[in-house]
PDB file of all heavy atoms in Angstrom:
ATOM      1  N   ARG K 179      33.025  29.300  -9.643  1.00  0.00           N
ATOM      2  CA  ARG K 179      31.635  29.181 -10.147  1.00  0.00           C
ATOM      3  C   ARG K 179      31.448  27.753 -10.609  1.00  0.00           C
ATOM      4  O   ARG K 179      32.244  27.253 -11.459  1.00  0.00           O
ATOM      5  CB  ARG K 179      31.454  30.156 -11.301  1.00  0.00           C
ATOM      6  CG  ARG K 179      31.461  31.599 -10.854  1.00  0.00           C
ATOM      7  CD  ARG K 179      31.039  32.554 -11.980  1.00  0.00           C
ATOM      8  NE  ARG K 179      31.504  32.138 -13.304  1.00  0.00           N
ATOM      9  CZ  ARG K 179      32.521  32.679 -13.935  1.00  0.00           C
ATOM     10  NH1 ARG K 179      33.200  33.649 -13.412  1.00  0.00           N
ATOM     11  NH2 ARG K 179      32.853  32.252 -15.149  1.00  0.00           N
ATOM     12  N   PRO K 180      30.442  27.058 -10.153  1.00  0.00           N
ATOM     13  CA  PRO K 180      30.238  25.628 -10.549  1.00  0.00           C
ATOM     14  C   PRO K 180      30.159  25.403 -12.032  1.00  0.00           C
ATOM     15  O   PRO K 180      30.561  24.345 -12.517  1.00  0.00           O
ATOM     16  CB  PRO K 180      28.904  25.282  -9.840  1.00  0.00           C
ATOM     17  CG  PRO K 180      28.826  26.192  -8.687  1.00  0.00           C
ATOM     18  CD  PRO K 180      29.457  27.478  -9.142  1.00  0.00           C
ATOM     19  N   ASP K 181      29.680  26.394 -12.777  1.00  0.00           N
ATOM     20  CA  ASP K 181      29.605  26.249 -14.241  1.00  0.00           C
ATOM     21  C   ASP K 181      30.981  26.018 -14.854  1.00  0.00           C
ATOM     22  O   ASP K 181      31.097  25.513 -15.969  1.00  0.00           O
ATOM     23  CB  ASP K 181      28.965  27.468 -14.900  1.00  0.00           C
ATOM     24  CG  ASP K 181      27.475  27.579 -14.563  1.00  0.00           C
ATOM     25  OD1 ASP K 181      26.904  26.592 -14.073  1.00  0.00           O
ATOM     26  OD2 ASP K 181      26.907  28.673 -14.770  1.00  0.00           O
ATOM     27  N   ASP K 182      32.042  26.444 -14.129  1.00  0.00           N
ATOM     28  CA  ASP K 182      33.407  26.279 -14.641  1.00  0.00           C
ATOM     29  C   ASP K 182      33.947  24.871 -14.398  1.00  0.00           C
ATOM     30  O   ASP K 182      35.027  24.526 -14.895  1.00  0.00           O
ATOM     31  CB  ASP K 182      34.347  27.288 -13.978  1.00  0.00           C
ATOM     32  CG  ASP K 182      34.012  28.721 -14.374  1.00  0.00           C
ATOM     33  OD1 ASP K 182      33.413  28.902 -15.437  1.00  0.00           O
ATOM     34  OD2 ASP K 182      34.351  29.640 -13.604  1.00  0.00           O
ATOM     35  N   GLY K 183      33.215  24.049 -13.652  1.00  0.00           N
ATOM     36  CA  GLY K 183      33.608  22.672 -13.399  1.00  0.00           C
ATOM     37  C   GLY K 183      34.539  22.480 -12.216  1.00  0.00           C
ATOM     38  O   GLY K 183      35.156  23.457 -11.741  1.00  0.00           O
ATOM     39  N   ALA K 184      34.631  21.268 -11.762  1.00  0.00           N
ATOM     40  CA  ALA K 184      35.412  20.961 -10.571  1.00  0.00           C
ATOM     41  C   ALA K 184      36.931  21.146 -10.813  1.00  0.00           C
ATOM     42  O   ALA K 184      37.671  21.484  -9.900  1.00  0.00           O
ATOM     43  CB  ALA K 184      35.143  19.528 -10.135  1.00  0.00           C
ATOM     44  N   ALA K 185      37.370  20.942 -12.045  1.00  0.00           N
ATOM     45  CA  ALA K 185      38.807  21.103 -12.353  1.00  0.00           C
ATOM     46  C   ALA K 185      39.233  22.548 -12.091  1.00  0.00           C
ATOM     47  O   ALA K 185      40.346  22.812 -11.628  1.00  0.00           O
ATOM     48  CB  ALA K 185      39.097  20.701 -13.766  1.00  0.00           C
ATOM     49  N   ARG K 186      38.331  23.492 -12.380  1.00  0.00           N
ATOM     50  CA  ARG K 186      38.629  24.899 -12.111  1.00  0.00           C
ATOM     51  C   ARG K 186      38.753  25.169 -10.628  1.00  0.00           C
ATOM     52  O   ARG K 186      39.613  25.943 -10.171  1.00  0.00           O
ATOM     53  CB  ARG K 186      37.545  25.790 -12.739  1.00  0.00           C
ATOM     54  CG  ARG K 186      37.685  27.265 -12.440  1.00  0.00           C
ATOM     55  CD  ARG K 186      38.964  27.879 -13.025  1.00  0.00           C
ATOM     56  NE  ARG K 186      38.983  29.311 -12.753  1.00  0.00           N
ATOM     57  CZ  ARG K 186      40.077  29.993 -12.661  1.00  0.00           C
ATOM     58  NH1 ARG K 186      41.268  29.435 -12.801  1.00  0.00           N
ATOM     59  NH2 ARG K 186      40.040  31.284 -12.413  1.00  0.00           N
ATOM     60  N   PHE K 187      37.920  24.527  -9.829  1.00  0.00           N
ATOM     61  CA  PHE K 187      38.018  24.692  -8.375  1.00  0.00           C
ATOM     62  C   PHE K 187      39.368  24.160  -7.885  1.00  0.00           C
ATOM     63  O   PHE K 187      40.060  24.823  -7.092  1.00  0.00           O
ATOM     64  CB  PHE K 187      36.876  23.976  -7.630  1.00  0.00           C
ATOM     65  CG  PHE K 187      37.038  24.031  -6.147  1.00  0.00           C
ATOM     66  CD1 PHE K 187      36.933  25.227  -5.471  1.00  0.00           C
ATOM     67  CD2 PHE K 187      37.316  22.900  -5.410  1.00  0.00           C
ATOM     68  CE1 PHE K 187      37.094  25.296  -4.079  1.00  0.00           C
ATOM     69  CE2 PHE K 187      37.483  22.946  -4.057  1.00  0.00           C
ATOM     70  CZ  PHE K 187      37.370  24.169  -3.384  1.00  0.00           C
ATOM     71  N   GLU K 188      39.771  23.000  -8.368  1.00  0.00           N
ATOM     72  CA  GLU K 188      41.084  22.453  -7.979  1.00  0.00           C
ATOM     73  C   GLU K 188      42.207  23.416  -8.370  1.00  0.00           C
ATOM     74  O   GLU K 188      43.157  23.631  -7.613  1.00  0.00           O
ATOM     75  CB  GLU K 188      41.305  21.084  -8.594  1.00  0.00           C
ATOM     76  CG  GLU K 188      42.619  20.475  -8.156  1.00  0.00           C
ATOM     77  CD  GLU K 188      42.840  19.047  -8.623  1.00  0.00           C
ATOM     78  OE1 GLU K 188      41.841  18.360  -8.976  1.00  0.00           O
ATOM     79  OE2 GLU K 188      44.005  18.621  -8.651  1.00  0.00           O
ATOM     80  N   GLU K 189      42.100  24.001  -9.567  1.00  0.00           N
ATOM     81  CA  GLU K 189      43.102  24.957 -10.022  1.00  0.00           C
ATOM     82  C   GLU K 189      43.195  26.152  -9.097  1.00  0.00           C
ATOM     83  O   GLU K 189      44.294  26.616  -8.706  1.00  0.00           O
ATOM     84  CB  GLU K 189      42.752  25.412 -11.439  1.00  0.00           C
ATOM     85  CG  GLU K 189      43.699  26.405 -12.059  1.00  0.00           C
ATOM     86  CD  GLU K 189      43.200  26.919 -13.397  1.00  0.00           C
ATOM     87  OE1 GLU K 189      42.586  26.123 -14.157  1.00  0.00           O
ATOM     88  OE2 GLU K 189      43.395  28.126 -13.678  1.00  0.00           O
ATOM     89  N   LEU K 190      42.031  26.700  -8.686  1.00  0.00           N
ATOM     90  CA  LEU K 190      42.005  27.826  -7.783  1.00  0.00           C
ATOM     91  C   LEU K 190      42.589  27.441  -6.435  1.00  0.00           C
ATOM     92  O   LEU K 190      43.334  28.214  -5.812  1.00  0.00           O
ATOM     93  CB  LEU K 190      40.545  28.332  -7.589  1.00  0.00           C
ATOM     94  CG  LEU K 190      39.946  29.049  -8.783  1.00  0.00           C
ATOM     95  CD1 LEU K 190      38.439  29.241  -8.563  1.00  0.00           C
ATOM     96  CD2 LEU K 190      40.625  30.379  -9.035  1.00  0.00           C
ATOM     97  N   LEU K 191      42.250  26.264  -5.956  1.00  0.00           N
ATOM     98  CA  LEU K 191      42.745  25.774  -4.688  1.00  0.00           C
ATOM     99  C   LEU K 191      44.283  25.662  -4.708  1.00  0.00           C
ATOM    100  O   LEU K 191      44.975  26.179  -3.814  1.00  0.00           O
ATOM    101  CB  LEU K 191      42.110  24.416  -4.392  1.00  0.00           C
ATOM    102  CG  LEU K 191      42.137  23.851  -2.994  1.00  0.00           C
ATOM    103  CD1 LEU K 191      41.555  24.803  -1.979  1.00  0.00           C
ATOM    104  CD2 LEU K 191      41.387  22.529  -2.957  1.00  0.00           C
ATOM    105  N   ARG K 192      44.803  25.036  -5.738  1.00  0.00           N
ATOM    106  CA  ARG K 192      46.262  24.883  -5.848  1.00  0.00           C
ATOM    107  C   ARG K 192      46.938  26.237  -5.995  1.00  0.00           C
ATOM    108  O   ARG K 192      47.989  26.484  -5.409  1.00  0.00           O
ATOM    109  CB  ARG K 192      46.605  23.993  -7.048  1.00  0.00           C
ATOM    110  CG  ARG K 192      46.296  22.525  -6.816  1.00  0.00           C
ATOM    111  CD  ARG K 192      46.718  21.654  -7.987  1.00  0.00           C
ATOM    112  NE  ARG K 192      46.420  20.279  -7.726  1.00  0.00           N
ATOM    113  CZ  ARG K 192      47.186  19.488  -6.984  1.00  0.00           C
ATOM    114  NH1 ARG K 192      48.285  19.938  -6.417  1.00  0.00           N
ATOM    115  NH2 ARG K 192      46.850  18.216  -6.790  1.00  0.00           N
ATOM    116  N   ARG K 193      46.326  27.143  -6.776  1.00  0.00           N
ATOM    117  CA  ARG K 193      46.935  28.466  -6.926  1.00  0.00           C
ATOM    118  C   ARG K 193      46.982  29.226  -5.604  1.00  0.00           C
ATOM    119  O   ARG K 193      47.970  29.867  -5.270  1.00  0.00           O
ATOM    120  CB  ARG K 193      46.179  29.261  -7.962  1.00  0.00           C
ATOM    121  CG  ARG K 193      46.932  30.516  -8.383  1.00  0.00           C
ATOM    122  CD  ARG K 193      46.337  31.134  -9.630  1.00  0.00           C
ATOM    123  NE  ARG K 193      45.467  32.217  -9.205  1.00  0.00           N
ATOM    124  CZ  ARG K 193      44.428  32.645  -9.887  1.00  0.00           C
ATOM    125  NH1 ARG K 193      44.102  32.148 -11.032  1.00  0.00           N
ATOM    126  NH2 ARG K 193      43.720  33.653  -9.438  1.00  0.00           N
ATOM    127  N   GLY K 194      45.904  29.115  -4.827  1.00  0.00           N
ATOM    128  CA  GLY K 194      45.891  29.732  -3.510  1.00  0.00           C
ATOM    129  C   GLY K 194      46.974  29.169  -2.592  1.00  0.00           C
ATOM    130  O   GLY K 194      47.680  29.921  -1.889  1.00  0.00           O
ATOM    131  N   PHE K 195      47.097  27.847  -2.575  1.00  0.00           N
ATOM    132  CA  PHE K 195      48.142  27.212  -1.757  1.00  0.00           C
ATOM    133  C   PHE K 195      49.525  27.671  -2.209  1.00  0.00           C
ATOM    134  O   PHE K 195      50.389  27.972  -1.380  1.00  0.00           O
ATOM    135  CB  PHE K 195      48.051  25.693  -1.828  1.00  0.00           C
ATOM    136  CG  PHE K 195      47.141  25.111  -0.809  1.00  0.00           C
ATOM    137  CD1 PHE K 195      45.851  24.673  -1.140  1.00  0.00           C
ATOM    138  CD2 PHE K 195      47.533  24.996   0.522  1.00  0.00           C
ATOM    139  CE1 PHE K 195      45.022  24.167  -0.181  1.00  0.00           C
ATOM    140  CE2 PHE K 195      46.706  24.460   1.486  1.00  0.00           C
ATOM    141  CZ  PHE K 195      45.427  24.022   1.115  1.00  0.00           C
ATOM    142  N   ASP K 196      49.764  27.672  -3.502  1.00  0.00           N
ATOM    143  CA  ASP K 196      51.093  28.040  -4.019  1.00  0.00           C
ATOM    144  C   ASP K 196      51.414  29.491  -3.722  1.00  0.00           C
ATOM    145  O   ASP K 196      52.539  29.829  -3.334  1.00  0.00           O
ATOM    146  CB  ASP K 196      51.163  27.771  -5.518  1.00  0.00           C
ATOM    147  CG  ASP K 196      51.115  26.268  -5.830  1.00  0.00           C
ATOM    148  OD1 ASP K 196      51.268  25.438  -4.885  1.00  0.00           O
ATOM    149  OD2 ASP K 196      50.891  25.920  -7.013  1.00  0.00           O
ATOM    150  N   THR K 197      50.417  30.371  -3.854  1.00  0.00           N
ATOM    151  CA  THR K 197      50.621  31.790  -3.613  1.00  0.00           C
ATOM    152  C   THR K 197      50.962  32.034  -2.145  1.00  0.00           C
ATOM    153  O   THR K 197      51.946  32.715  -1.822  1.00  0.00           O
ATOM    154  CB  THR K 197      49.372  32.596  -3.998  1.00  0.00           C
ATOM    155  OG1 THR K 197      49.123  32.402  -5.386  1.00  0.00           O
ATOM    156  CG2 THR K 197      49.556  34.078  -3.700  1.00  0.00           C
ATOM    157  N   LEU K 198      50.164  31.459  -1.259  1.00  0.00           N
ATOM    158  CA  LEU K 198      50.422  31.668   0.160  1.00  0.00           C
ATOM    159  C   LEU K 198      51.670  30.937   0.600  1.00  0.00           C
ATOM    160  O   LEU K 198      52.473  31.447   1.409  1.00  0.00           O
ATOM    161  CB  LEU K 198      49.196  31.166   0.974  1.00  0.00           C
ATOM    162  CG  LEU K 198      49.211  31.492   2.480  1.00  0.00           C
ATOM    163  CD1 LEU K 198      49.293  32.994   2.723  1.00  0.00           C
ATOM    164  CD2 LEU K 198      47.960  30.939   3.132  1.00  0.00           C
ATOM    165  N   GLY K 199      51.862  29.733   0.074  1.00  0.00           N
ATOM    166  CA  GLY K 199      53.024  28.944   0.451  1.00  0.00           C
ATOM    167  C   GLY K 199      54.353  29.552   0.053  1.00  0.00           C
ATOM    168  O   GLY K 199      55.367  29.289   0.691  1.00  0.00           O
ATOM    169  N   ALA K 200      54.377  30.396  -0.938  1.00  0.00           N
ATOM    170  CA  ALA K 200      55.626  31.005  -1.378  1.00  0.00           C
ATOM    171  C   ALA K 200      56.211  31.895  -0.284  1.00  0.00           C
ATOM    172  O   ALA K 200      57.430  32.109  -0.220  1.00  0.00           O
ATOM    173  CB  ALA K 200      55.411  31.811  -2.660  1.00  0.00           C
ATOM    174  N   GLY K 201      55.341  32.399   0.607  1.00  0.00           N
ATOM    175  CA  GLY K 201      55.842  33.274   1.683  1.00  0.00           C
ATOM    176  C   GLY K 201      55.769  32.656   3.046  1.00  0.00           C
ATOM    177  O   GLY K 201      56.775  32.251   3.616  1.00  0.00           O
ATOM    178  N   LEU K 202      54.557  32.469   3.531  1.00  0.00           N
ATOM    179  CA  LEU K 202      54.322  32.020   4.908  1.00  0.00           C
ATOM    180  C   LEU K 202      55.062  30.739   5.242  1.00  0.00           C
ATOM    181  O   LEU K 202      55.707  30.607   6.276  1.00  0.00           O
ATOM    182  CB  LEU K 202      52.822  31.814   5.112  1.00  0.00           C
ATOM    183  CG  LEU K 202      52.380  31.166   6.409  1.00  0.00           C
ATOM    184  CD1 LEU K 202      52.686  32.034   7.599  1.00  0.00           C
ATOM    185  CD2 LEU K 202      50.918  30.810   6.347  1.00  0.00           C
ATOM    186  N   MET K 203      54.966  29.737   4.368  1.00  0.00           N
ATOM    187  CA  MET K 203      55.453  28.410   4.760  1.00  0.00           C
ATOM    188  C   MET K 203      56.966  28.246   4.666  1.00  0.00           C
ATOM    189  O   MET K 203      57.478  27.246   5.112  1.00  0.00           O
ATOM    190  CB  MET K 203      54.733  27.338   3.901  1.00  0.00           C
ATOM    191  CG  MET K 203      53.248  27.298   4.206  1.00  0.00           C
ATOM    192  SD  MET K 203      52.792  27.408   5.960  1.00  0.00           S
ATOM    193  CE  MET K 203      53.633  26.000   6.613  1.00  0.00           C
ATOM    194  N   SER K 204      57.660  29.228   4.133  1.00  0.00           N
ATOM    195  CA  SER K 204      59.129  29.109   4.131  1.00  0.00           C
ATOM    196  C   SER K 204      59.625  29.014   5.550  1.00  0.00           C
ATOM    197  O   SER K 204      60.622  28.394   5.837  1.00  0.00           O
ATOM    198  CB  SER K 204      59.754  30.276   3.368  1.00  0.00           C
ATOM    199  OG  SER K 204      59.416  31.500   3.991  1.00  0.00           O
ATOM    200  N   VAL K 205      58.911  29.626   6.507  1.00  0.00           N
ATOM    201  CA  VAL K 205      59.304  29.562   7.920  1.00  0.00           C
ATOM    202  C   VAL K 205      59.071  28.157   8.463  1.00  0.00           C
ATOM    203  O   VAL K 205      59.946  27.570   9.069  1.00  0.00           O
ATOM    204  CB  VAL K 205      58.476  30.569   8.762  1.00  0.00           C
ATOM    205  CG1 VAL K 205      58.802  30.433  10.220  1.00  0.00           C
ATOM    206  CG2 VAL K 205      58.752  31.979   8.266  1.00  0.00           C
TER     207      VAL K 205
END
Side-chain angles (χ1 to χ4, degrees):
R179 292 189 324 257
D181 292 345
D182 293 336
R186 175 63 177 153
F187 175 67
E188 182 174 339
E189 179 187 324
L190 290 169
L191 197 55
R192 287 183 179 280
R193 193 167 98 205
F195 271 102
D196 293 346
T197 301
L198 189 58
L202 170 68
M203 295 317 300
S204 60
V205 176

